[in-house]
């Protein structure tokens, strides 16, 4: 086996070129523009949601939004927030995101987004030594020009050869499930709880309280297929050829056949994943952030408001791995009329390893009679024109 | 109403016939003939987004299928979908039966009556009507399931009528037949890839400039289209591209819990992955190398509609024309790293009432010289004498 580098290495010049784009709105192909009922349901089903708030229009007459709404993380359907310009030929891995939501996504809303690079940092890690961290900001506006959400994204740029050489995940392999393992998953699915229409009051919520875990898995290619479809699919045919011509270092040339591929193949082909330093086919990463959101929205109830969710992806999730999203209440406090809890959330696989971790802030209902429900999600806690009760 | 004992006996009988086309299995399929199954995604409105997604994944360049503003200036007054729900969404796996016996999209025939626009609500139902067993050199002993279907829009208008067929064959005999003789995946040099990319660049869309029936001659060749090399990533992540398709496996039911629940209720349907012991869908031959090897294929293969032959006709015919009939036969696999060249030729022209029609023979040929999908299209063109005839 040759020791000569096959793939590009990180250079100082790459850092300089990337930094020149800081603050510049980035160009991207817009595929999806509308939170149609079909997309809202398709996204929900692609993350296996069992929360009818996001699947059924029948609840619209009784929910506070007046219409069926979509999962907060369905904004990934409009922009994958993979802000990772420049660094040609260097693989990109989504490291996580900090989400803040300001408005619900109702069926029929048209969403436009804009992404900018806001920082480029140098990092060192066990995965591949020297890495670049690109921090991006993506804003989402609806057709009423309301800021619906903002996502700060963290994308690691990891030279392939170094990743393969360091072989950080060499010890990981596809997991052989026993019947007892599968039964444990079965029990978790049956134990899942959706709070739904039953209010969850801030006063009744205790620090240390645990959220009922939500299991997703074993992860099959069908799961990734449907999720990537909800996110808009991938470049194909002439569109792939055009992009490959403009970004020649983007192409992954299959070492056996010589045919050109895109990085997404690491989520479908074991040999390609290994070329990028992974033990085998791995997940989108972004999916786990959506599953963690599903955990929280299951727990908080239809009338609560998820203000923010920050997640970092710390280990890969391989094909057929199973993920339990878990959480607990760690803080209880007020901001003006908002009654808030902070949650610690994490994803754990069937090996017991933590594969993602983060935190969230949720505004819950309160029994205080002078605080009304709509205050949960408005900045400062009050809708426009509020003049008191 | 069957008792638990009868159900258990049926399960045990089924288990012993797993993977085989048996008389009993065919008999149980016969009993399902004439029953109705939903074939399309019935969630509601077709959106411009979905039409655009469908077009992008097929590599359509015509803004008629991509751009709402362009669509408003055409005769249709809006963007339209590149084709209607067709046979490509009818999968024998929706029907079930013959557990362990493979199912392949054999082809389909669609009569198109209406375009599909953003805002339309289309629903498709199909039903199996016939199953016959046959033997061929290529497919060995197999069973062919025929289905008929109909797509209707919100005004109760027929959008399309379909016939589709799926071929059921047993795995072990397919492996033994080894029709590809143990060859590996196609290999390509950088120069060959550049040449293929150049072919993509050359594709042209007739678009707004009408192609008149009078100017078309029998024997005319259509400019060919090139597809490939086939990427595993698009086989998997663009699999849903037919927006009218119920999708594979999990959809329309959903991922994770929904599929888990389906597998535990229909245990014979899911097979265990040999490495992880996890129950999974038999259609994973589209992305798992081990599965493809079970039937002596060098690699994974595209879904039936991956060998689509429509774009060559749509690019050539112009926005004032429409496809009234398409007939596609899936004869061979389109395998990872394969390239296929689609060619077309006008073979007939005639007039039927106001319609001036041409018949186009279309076929896909791969780098091994195999004809993958012989097809036929009937296109209604505008004429200099009769003018434009709407769909």
């Amino acid at each position: 086996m040759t020791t000569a580098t096959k793939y590009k290495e990180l250079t100082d010049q790459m850092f300089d070129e990337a930094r020149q784009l800081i603050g510049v709105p980035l160009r991207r192909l817009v595929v999806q523009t509308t939170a149609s009922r079909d997309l809202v349901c398709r996204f929900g089903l692609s993350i296996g949601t069992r929360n009818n708030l996001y699947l059924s229009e029948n609840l619209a007459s009784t929910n506070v939004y007046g219409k069926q709404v979509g999962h907060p993380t369905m904004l990934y359907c409009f922009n994958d927030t993979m802000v990772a310009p420049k660094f040609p030929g260097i693989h990109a891995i989504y490291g996580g995101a900090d989400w803040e939501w300001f408005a619900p996504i109702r069926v029929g809303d048209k969403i436009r987004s804009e992404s900018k690079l806001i920082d480029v940092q140098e990092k060192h890690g066990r995965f591949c030594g020297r890495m670049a961290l690109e921090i991006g900001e993506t804003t989402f506006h609806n057709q009423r020009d309301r800021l619906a959400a903002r996502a700060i994204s963290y994308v690691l740029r990891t030279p392939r050869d170094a990743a393969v050489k360091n072989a950080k995940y060499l010890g990981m392999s596809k997991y052989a499930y026993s019947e007892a393992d599968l039964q444990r998953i079965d029990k978790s699915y049956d134990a899942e709880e959706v709070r739904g229409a039953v209010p969850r009051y801030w006063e009744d919520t205790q620090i240390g309280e645990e959220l009922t875990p939500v299991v997703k898995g074993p992860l099959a290619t069908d799961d990734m297929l449907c999720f990537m479809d909800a996110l808009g699919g991938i470049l194909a045919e002439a569109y792939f050829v055009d992009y490959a011509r403009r970004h020649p270092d983007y192409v992954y040339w299959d070492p056996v056949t010589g045919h050109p591929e895109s990085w997404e193949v690491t989520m479908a082909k074991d040999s390609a994943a290994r070329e990028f330093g992974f033990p085998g086919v791995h997940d989108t990463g972004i999916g786990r952030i959506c599953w963690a959101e599903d955990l929280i929205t299951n727990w908080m109830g239809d009338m609560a408001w998820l203000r923010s969710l920050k997640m970092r992806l710390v280990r890969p999730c391989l094909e057929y791995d199973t993920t339990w999203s878990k959480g607990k209440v760690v803080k209880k406090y007020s901001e003006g009329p908002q009654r808030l809890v902070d949650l610690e959330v994490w994803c754990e696989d069937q090996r017991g390893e933590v594969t993602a971790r983060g935190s969230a802030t949720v505004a819950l209902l309160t029994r205080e009679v002078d605080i009304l429900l709509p205050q949960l999600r408005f900045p400062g806690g009050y809708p426009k024109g509020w003049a008191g009760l | 109403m069957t008792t638990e004992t009868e159900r258990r006996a049926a399960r045990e009988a089924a288990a012993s016939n797993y993977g085989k086309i048996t008389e009993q299995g065919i008999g149980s399929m016969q009993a399902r003939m004439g029953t109705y199954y939903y074939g399309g995604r019935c969630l509601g409105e077709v959106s411009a987004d979905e039409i655009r997604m469908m077009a992008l994944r097929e590599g359509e360049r015509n803004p008629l299928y991509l751009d709402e503003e362009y669509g408003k200036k055409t005769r249709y007054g809006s963007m339209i979908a590149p084709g209607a729900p067709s046979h490509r969404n009818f999968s024998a796996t929706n029907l079930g039966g013959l557990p362990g016996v493979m199912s392949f999209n054999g082809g389909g025939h669609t009569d198109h009556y209406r375009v599909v626009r953003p805002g339309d609500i289309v629903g498709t139902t199909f039903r199996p009507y016939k199953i016959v067993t046959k033997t061929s050199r290529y497919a060995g002993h197999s069973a062919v399931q025929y289905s008929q279907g109909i797509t209707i829009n919100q005004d109760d208008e027929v959008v399309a009528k379909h016939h589709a067929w799926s071929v059921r064959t047993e795995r072990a005999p397919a492996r033994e037949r080894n029709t590809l003789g143990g060859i590996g995946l196609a290999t390509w040099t950088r120069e060959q890839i550049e040449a293929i990319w150049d072919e993509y660049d050359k594709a042209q869309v007739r678009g707004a400039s009408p192609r008149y029936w009078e100017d078309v001659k029998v024997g005319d060749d259509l400019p060919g289209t090139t597809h490939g090399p086939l990427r595993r990533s698009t086989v998997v992540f663009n699999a849903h591209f037919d927006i009218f398709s119920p999708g594979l496996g999990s959809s329309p039911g959903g991922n994770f819990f929904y599929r888990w629940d389906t597998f535990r209720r229909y245990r014979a349907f899911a097979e265990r992955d040999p490495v992880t012991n996890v129950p999974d869908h038999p259609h994973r031959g589209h992305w798992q190398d081990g599965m493809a090897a079970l039937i002596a294929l060098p690699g994974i293969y595209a879904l039936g509609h991956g060998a689509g032959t429509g774009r060559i006709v749509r690019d050539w015919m112009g926005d004032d024309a429409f496809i009234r009939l398409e007939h596609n036969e899936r004869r061979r696999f389109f395998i990872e790293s394969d390239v296929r060249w689609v060619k077309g030729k006008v073979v007939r022209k005639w007039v039927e009432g106001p319609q001036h029609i041409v018949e186009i023979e279309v076929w896909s040929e791969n780098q091994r010289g195999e004809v993958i999908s012989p097809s036929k299209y009937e296109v209604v063109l505008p004429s200099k004498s009769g003018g434009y005839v709407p769909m």
Side-chain angles (χ1 to χ4, degrees):
Chain A
M1 175 157 147
T2 178
T3 53
T5 307
K6 290 188 289 173
Y7 298 113
K8 288 222 164 137
E9 294 182 323
L10 276 177
T11 63
D12 290 343
Q13 190 193 358
M14 287 180 180
F15 279 89
D16 292 339
E17 281 178 11
R19 287 192 172 111
Q20 280 173 30
L21 281 181
I22 289 176
V24 177
L26 300 172
R27 188 184 55 166
R28 32 182 295 280
L29 176 69
V30 175
V31 178
Q32 302 191 110
T33 64
T34 307
S36 64
R37 183 159 180 259
D38 183 81
L39 182 62
V40 167
C41 292
R42 196 149 45 95
F43 176 83
L45 291 174
S46 81
I47 63 169
T49 195
R50 293 161 78 180
N51 190 336
N52 270 335
L53 180 66
Y54 306 117
L55 293 177
S56 169
E57 61 186 358
N58 292 335
L59 292 186
S61 58
T62 53
N63 80 25
V64 295
Y65 305 110
K67 244 186 149 165
Q68 184 181 351
V69 290
H71 268 280
T73 51
M74 81 166 286
L75 290 172
Y76 278 120
C77 298
F78 304 103
N79 189 318
D80 63 11
T81 75
M82 191 78 172
V83 179
K86 298 292 176 184
F87 293 99
I90 308 292
H91 191 41
I93 300 177
Y94 197 75
D98 299 339
W99 280 92
E100 267 186 283
W101 289 278
F102 308 103
I105 305 149
R106 292 181 175 87
V107 164
D109 279 354
K110 289 190 168 350
I111 305 291
R112 66 172 200 282
S113 65
E114 187 180 89
S115 294
K116 284 197 267 245
L117 185 63
I118 59 176
D119 197 11
V120 182
Q121 295 173 9
E122 191 162 324
K123 293 280 180 195
H124 291 265
R126 271 202 312 132
F127 181 60
C128 63
R130 187 188 191 201
M131 297 183 280
L133 173 64
E134 292 190 276
I135 302 179
E137 180 187 51
T138 302
T139 53
F140 298 86
H141 285 81
N142 67 22
Q143 71 280 12
R144 296 186 197 89
D145 288 329
R146 279 285 301 281
L147 176 65
R150 177 190 292 117
I152 307 295
S153 54
Y154 300 87
V155 180
L156 289 157
R157 306 305 301 265
T158 58
R160 272 179 246 175
D161 277 340
V164 171
K165 190 157 133 293
N166 287 10
K168 180 182 179 196
Y169 297 117
L170 195 59
M172 274 182 91
S173 58
K174 284 205 225 275
Y175 187 83
Y177 287 82
S178 65
E179 291 307 314
D181 285 331
L182 295 172
Q183 272 163 34
R184 184 179 154 219
I185 296 169
D186 200 59
K187 283 199 172 63
S188 294
Y189 276 123
D190 287 342
E192 184 171 339
E193 283 181 50
V194 177
R195 188 78 175 190
V198 176
R200 185 177 290 283
Y201 293 106
W202 182 81
E203 290 82 359
D204 299 342
T205 305
Q206 310 294 332
I207 293 183
E209 193 174 313
E210 289 181 355
L211 280 58
T212 304
V214 169
V215 68
K216 306 284 185 196
L219 180 75
T221 298
D222 270 319
D223 299 314
M224 292 199 273
L225 181 167
C226 294
F227 184 68
M228 291 292 279
D229 166 74
L231 264 49
I234 68 171
L235 291 177
E237 297 281 337
Y239 297 96
F240 169 74
V241 173
D242 287 351
Y243 193 85
R245 282 225 203 271
R246 289 201 311 271
H247 305 89
D249 290 307
Y250 148 85
V251 177
Y252 167 69
W253 298 95
D254 187 283
V256 172
T257 60
H259 83 275
E261 258 288 11
S262 61
W263 70 268
E264 287 101 351
V265 75
T266 62
M267 298 189 292
K269 191 165 177 170
D270 283 328
S271 59
R274 281 192 285 270
E275 290 253 326
F276 285 73
F278 292 92
V281 164
H282 62 81
D283 78 339
T284 59
I286 285 172
R288 271 178 277 156
I289 298 177
C290 304
W291 305 344
E293 181 256 275
D294 197 36
L295 162 81
I296 300 166
T297 47
N298 266 12
W299 172 82
M300 72 188 200
D302 292 351
M303 290 178 278
W305 178 252
L306 176 60
R307 266 195 8 175
S308 65
L309 171 63
K310 297 185 202 303
M311 290 294 285
R312 297 288 176 270
L313 306 165
V314 299
R315 274 179 81 84
C317 173
L318 303 183
E319 190 187 16
Y320 292 124
D321 276 356
T322 303
T323 301
W324 280 262
S325 298
K326 298 184 177 180
K328 65 175 188 248
V329 179
V330 294
K331 191 173 167 198
K332 215 174 132 166
Y333 58 108
S334 300
E335 266 178 26
Q338 293 192 332
R339 299 289 175 264
L340 304 168
V341 291
D342 281 355
L343 307 174
E344 187 188 313
V345 292
W346 66 97
C347 294
E348 229 175 81
D349 69 15
Q350 75 285 356
R351 301 175 190 83
E353 300 275 3
V354 171
T355 63
R357 59 168 68 89
S359 60
T361 299
V362 178
L364 290 175
L365 298 178
T366 170
R367 287 202 180 80
E368 292 171 63
V369 296
D370 57 346
I371 295 177
L372 282 187
L373 168 68
Q375 288 159 291
L376 288 178
R377 58 184 168 83
F378 299 107
Y382 299 99
K384 286 187 215 148
W386 175 256
L389 279 169
Chain B
M1 180 84 80
T2 53
T3 63
E4 179 51 47
T5 315
E6 284 165 328
R7 278 196 284 272
R8 188 166 50 236
R11 277 200 299 272
E12 281 160 15
S16 66
N17 290 327
Y18 190 82
K20 299 195 189 64
I21 298 173
T22 61
E23 265 189 52
Q24 184 200 23
I26 296 288
S28 119
M29 299 297 288
Q30 296 284 18
R32 298 177 206 204
M33 295 298 126
T35 49
Y36 279 93
Y37 290 81
Y38 284 106
R41 189 183 285 161
C42 300
L43 289 177
E45 275 183 51
V46 173
S47 64
D49 279 353
E50 289 183 291
I51 291 175
R52 188 180 310 113
M53 276 222 299
M54 189 178 168
L56 287 173
R57 296 179 196 189
E58 296 258 34
E60 300 279 357
R61 296 288 223 182
N62 191 338
L64 178 62
Y65 312 123
L66 297 167
D67 186 338
E68 287 175 86
E69 290 312 308
Y70 178 91
K72 287 186 187 139
K73 299 190 212 113
T74 66
R75 291 189 184 276
Y76 299 101
S78 74
M79 242 173 98
I80 62 171
S86 71
H87 56 269
R88 48 193 174 173
N89 57 316
F90 301 149
S91 167
T93 49
N94 291 90
L95 181 56
L98 296 175
V101 177
M102 301 186 293
S103 173
F104 297 113
N105 181 327
H109 179 111
T110 302
D111 294 295
H112 296 280
Y113 296 98
R114 300 231 150 48
V115 294
V116 175
R117 297 181 166 82
D120 279 353
I121 303 171
V122 292
T124 303
T125 52
F126 78 100
R127 66 172 178 177
Y129 67 88
K130 187 167 71 169
I131 183 163
V132 296
T133 52
K134 59 177 255 193
T135 305
S136 76
R137 195 179 57 79
Y138 182 75
H141 178 61
S142 58
V144 184
Q145 284 169 210
Y146 295 87
S147 302
Q148 58 189 202
I150 190 160
T151 301
I152 294 179
N153 68 17
Q154 69 282 359
D155 294 324
D156 290 341
E157 296 170 326
V158 177
V159 173
K161 274 193 330 201
H162 321 277
H163 275 86
W165 49 99
S166 293
V167 180
R168 313 290 313 259
T169 61
E170 297 173 1
R171 265 193 200 125
R175 185 167 58 249
E176 280 150 36
R177 276 195 306 279
N178 194 9
T179 46
L180 286 176
I183 61 165
L185 294 177
T187 59
W188 306 95
T189 64
R190 209 57 66 93
E191 290 75 32
Q192 286 171 319
I193 298 298
E194 283 292 333
I196 289 164
W197 285 0
D198 286 344
E199 287 169 26
Y200 270 104
D201 291 340
K202 286 205 199 81
Q204 294 201 349
V205 173
R206 184 84 179 188
S209 167
R211 185 180 293 281
Y212 292 106
W213 182 85
E214 289 80 357
D215 296 334
V216 174
K217 292 189 302 300
V218 170
D220 280 353
D221 287 317
L222 274 61
T225 59
T226 306
H227 306 264
L230 182 67
R231 291 158 52 204
R232 188 177 308 194
S233 56
T234 49
V235 170
V236 176
F237 298 120
N238 285 357
H240 249 228
F241 74 74
D242 186 335
I243 63 174
F244 306 104
S245 167
L248 305 175
S250 29
S251 283
N255 281 346
F256 303 120
F257 169 74
Y258 301 98
R259 202 169 67 257
W260 181 267
D261 195 48
T262 299
F263 285 164
R264 69 182 174 187
R265 283 186 292 121
Y266 301 100
R267 288 197 192 281
F269 179 61
E271 299 178 333
R272 297 299 185 108
D273 174 75
V275 173
T276 61
N277 197 33
V278 169
D280 202 357
H281 198 294
H283 68 201
R284 68 200 187 287
H286 290 299
W287 44 80
Q288 275 191 356
D289 292 308
M291 288 285 285
L294 287 182
I295 49 171
L297 290 182
I300 61 94
Y301 46 93
L303 285 83
H305 49 247
T309 47
R311 181 152 61 80
I312 188 177
V313 174
R314 287 189 287 274
D315 280 354
W316 170 87
M317 70 187 193
D319 295 351
D320 286 356
F322 63 87
I323 295 170
R324 75 170 198 171
L325 179 158
E326 60 181 296
H327 181 102
N328 306 99
E329 309 214 350
R330 312 282 178 224
R331 294 280 181 81
R332 297 286 184 273
F333 294 101
F334 185 34
I335 296 169
E336 190 178 5
S337 195
D338 276 356
V339 172
R340 61 190 179 89
W341 290 269
V342 183
K343 302 181 186 167
K345 186 192 281 287
V346 179
V347 294
R348 198 158 69 105
K349 55 186 286 198
W350 72 102
V351 179
E352 250 177 56
Q355 292 188 338
H356 290 68
I357 307 162
V358 294
E359 181 183 320
I360 305 177
E361 195 181 297
V362 174
W363 65 100
S364 252
E365 225 174 271
N366 67 19
Q367 76 285 349
R368 287 187 291 278
E370 294 170 309
V371 174
I372 303 170
S373 45
S375 306
K376 175 176 94 162
Y377 288 79
E378 282 179 14
V379 180
V380 176
L381 292 172
S383 82
K384 285 172 176 163
S385 62
Y388 164 74
V389 175
M391 192 172 195

